[in-house]
Amino acid sequence: MNYFYLTGTPVTTFDCEKQIRTFIPLKFNKRSGRCIVTTSEDAMKATEPNSPLPDTTLMNALSKAFHWQRLLDRGIVHSGTEIARKENTDLATVNEILRLTLLDPGIVESILRGRQPEGLTMNWFNTNPIPWEWKQQRQKIKGIPPSPSD
């Protein structure tokens, strides 16, 4: 089971180019095959200055996916259908987002750090199947072409 928790208060900053950057103090560590989250102070130390901005759509989807999986694991909800009804969204959307819990932790970390391939977007996940094995996932994601420029 993968669990993550918000360990502190998110920090939003503005830069001179009118971009917003939000840091959510999370850090994944692997111990005994499980992901755990360390304190916000440790997470703040782990961030690098001038690191790339993460894809907020993917981060939101990952947050929802792991939250919903936690609800399922704890028996708070019994199915994706119940989640869809409570969230007032389509069952297919819930299932697509829940697939993200199957991702290799290295891929999840690269998304959270903003270091995923440029073409790896939520739209890519919606149109491409994700292999079950993490090694195959890494190989498939390495082959993603950059998204076309707008």
Side-chain angles (χ1 to χ4, degrees):
M1 284 187 269
N2 294 322
Y3 293 106
F4 66 92
Y5 301 96
L6 184 62
T7 60
T9 305
V11 177
T12 302
T13 57
F14 301 89
D15 66 13
C16 59
E17 297 175 10
K18 304 277 187 207
Q19 290 184 346
I20 298 173
R21 181 178 179 153
T22 302
F23 171 75
I24 301 172
L26 294 175
K27 183 165 185 210
F28 289 89
N29 282 338
K30 212 170 183 185
R31 292 191 184 151
S32 303
R34 293 190 333 178
C35 288
I36 63 164
V37 178
T38 59
T39 65
S40 60
E41 291 80 21
D42 291 340
M44 291 296 274
K45 290 176 191 173
T47 61
E48 302 160 8
N50 301 324
S51 60
L53 294 173
D55 182 339
T56 55
T57 305
L58 269 177
M59 284 183 62
N60 287 335
L62 279 170
S63 298
K64 284 180 183 179
F66 283 99
H67 173 68
W68 291 344
Q69 187 62 51
R70 189 177 330 125
L71 295 177
L72 288 165
D73 292 342
R74 292 182 178 173
I76 296 169
V77 294
H78 302 290
S79 66
T81 305
E82 189 175 345
I83 293 171
R85 189 171 54 251
K86 289 184 178 192
E87 293 283 336
N88 196 24
T89 188
D90 190 60
L91 176 60
T93 303
V94 171
N95 288 335
E96 290 295 323
I97 291 174
L98 277 171
R99 285 187 325 141
L100 297 177
T101 62
L102 304 175
L103 284 175
D104 173 16
I107 296 169
V108 172
E109 185 174 343
S110 71
I111 291 169
L112 294 176
R113 290 183 179 266
R115 296 179 186 264
Q116 77 276 9
E118 185 182 328
L120 186 65
T121 62
M122 196 59 212
N123 187 41
W124 184 89
F125 280 112
N126 290 336
T127 57
N128 292 282
I130 301 172
W132 290 97
E133 293 184 20
W134 289 348
K135 183 177 181 181
Q136 292 176 354
Q137 288 177 9
R138 289 188 297 267
Q139 290 172 348
K140 186 168 186 167
I141 286 176
K142 279 183 185 176
I144 295 174
S147 59
S149 301
D150 294 343

